[in-house]
Amino acid sequence: MNAAAEFVIAVSAALAAACSFGAGAALQHQQAHQAATASVPAFRLLPRLARRPRWLAGIALAAAAYGLQAIALAFGPLALVAPVVATDLVFALVLAAWWSRQPLHGRDWTGCGLVAAGVASFLATSPPSPGRSDAPAGEWLSAFGAVALIAALAAGAGMVRGGVLGAGLLAGAAGVIFGLTAAVTLSFTRLLRDAGIGPALGSWQPWALASLGGAGLIASLSAYQAGALAASLPIIDTVKPISGVVIGTVVFGERLADSAGGLAIQLGAAAVAVAGIALLSPSAMTIRAATADGTGGPNRPG
């Protein structure tokens, strides 16, 4: 398969993953707010949520999105896939507006346009190099150690502070965990593609993915429980691709632009996308308003 075909597969699968992640996040946030009380920690909330069909539907969508992201990472570098998947907030808002039959306003469309333009410019300007599919154990240990430290500090501070700031800190912890999860997924899918299912399942990656998946679920659920989606999903969508690109560069040797000018353009494009996410943040309240009381109208999921 040539490079152009791999690029198309990677981008198409990443876009589909973003759509599925956005829909799943909206459903999970709805159910977390309906089931949560201030005195119930996230790990005790899980059994209660597991009895809710809509939360399970959100988990199913997230699982499907993860599979699509894995396909994208099997054919494209992390620095390509991570920014595309981060557009899930755009899909979440559009779907929430459709479910609730509430129109998007000028600010919303401007934010969507900035995210789309920033990501498109980032990808079109000196596309990232494929890099390698794995790394020495020492580099993996450094990546895991750094992510564990950052996530622990952010989550600890978030639980102490509470409120909007606490939700943002918990979302930041989830974001760095998801960034590392994407990196391990890339390594696992490349091993699966090149060596087959036996060696892949016998490697360390599946165990790491199970642990990271549980940690990311608890961190994101805690963030959703702590505040509105406006305080959590935009932070996850900003931190996740940044951590993914950084890990891809350090662990897999992926490169961004080959020149200083190209790198400046890519950084500018990333800033535009982040500005779009920030512009959409207040509008993410639409998801809570449309779904928190379960009255999204006839078009909402049944």
Side-chain angles (χ1 to χ4, degrees):
M1 185 178 296
N2 59 41
E6 291 185 349
F7 177 86
V8 170
I9 292 173
V11 173
S12 299
L15 282 172
C19 182
S20 189
F21 271 130
L27 286 173
Q28 290 178 60
H29 180 262
Q30 169 199 357
Q31 296 303 304
H33 266 280
Q34 286 183 0
T37 61
S39 60
V40 178
F43 69 89
R44 289 189 177 179
L45 189 61
L46 282 174
R48 185 183 303 179
L49 289 171
R51 296 191 293 269
R52 290 174 169 256
R54 290 188 185 178
W55 190 80
L56 293 176
I59 292 296
L61 283 168
Y66 181 75
L68 289 164
Q69 179 180 259
I71 293 173
L73 289 169
F75 293 95
L78 187 57
L80 169 76
V81 174
V84 177
V85 175
T87 61
D88 59 347
L89 178 60
V90 174
F91 291 100
L93 289 177
V94 172
L95 288 170
W98 179 63
W99 289 345
S100 62
R101 296 187 294 180
Q102 297 180 18
L104 294 176
H105 302 292
R107 178 191 180 100
D108 307 323
W109 290 116
T110 300
C112 291
L114 288 174
V115 172
V119 171
S121 299
F122 182 89
L123 299 179
T125 307
S126 296
S129 66
R132 58 194 178 190
S133 298
D134 206 349
E139 295 185 15
W140 276 118
L141 289 174
S142 297
F144 272 89
V147 167
L149 178 61
I150 294 171
L153 290 175
M159 288 186 288
V160 170
R161 296 299 297 268
V164 174
L165 178 58
L169 288 167
L170 288 164
V176 295
I177 293 171
F178 289 145
L180 181 58
T181 303
V184 178
T185 301
L186 184 151
S187 178
F188 177 70
T189 55
R190 301 284 177 84
L191 181 60
L192 181 65
R193 187 184 68 178
D194 297 336
I197 188 169
L201 292 178
S203 66
W204 61 269
Q205 285 92 334
W207 301 99
L209 287 173
S211 300
L212 289 169
L217 177 63
I218 292 295
S220 60
L221 180 58
S222 299
Y224 295 156
Q225 182 184 5
L229 203 63
S232 53
L233 186 58
I235 302 297
I236 295 175
D237 284 334
T238 300
V239 175
K240 180 170 62 176
I242 291 174
S243 62
V245 170
V246 170
I247 293 171
T249 301
V250 174
V251 175
F252 298 124
E254 297 177 357
R255 292 181 292 106
L256 298 179
D258 293 325
S259 65
L263 181 60
I265 293 174
Q266 284 192 316
L267 292 176
V272 168
V274 171
I277 291 173
L279 196 62
L280 288 172
S281 295
S283 299
M285 287 296 292
T286 303
I287 295 176
R288 184 178 181 181
T291 60
D293 60 1
T295 58
N299 287 329
R300 64 186 174 88

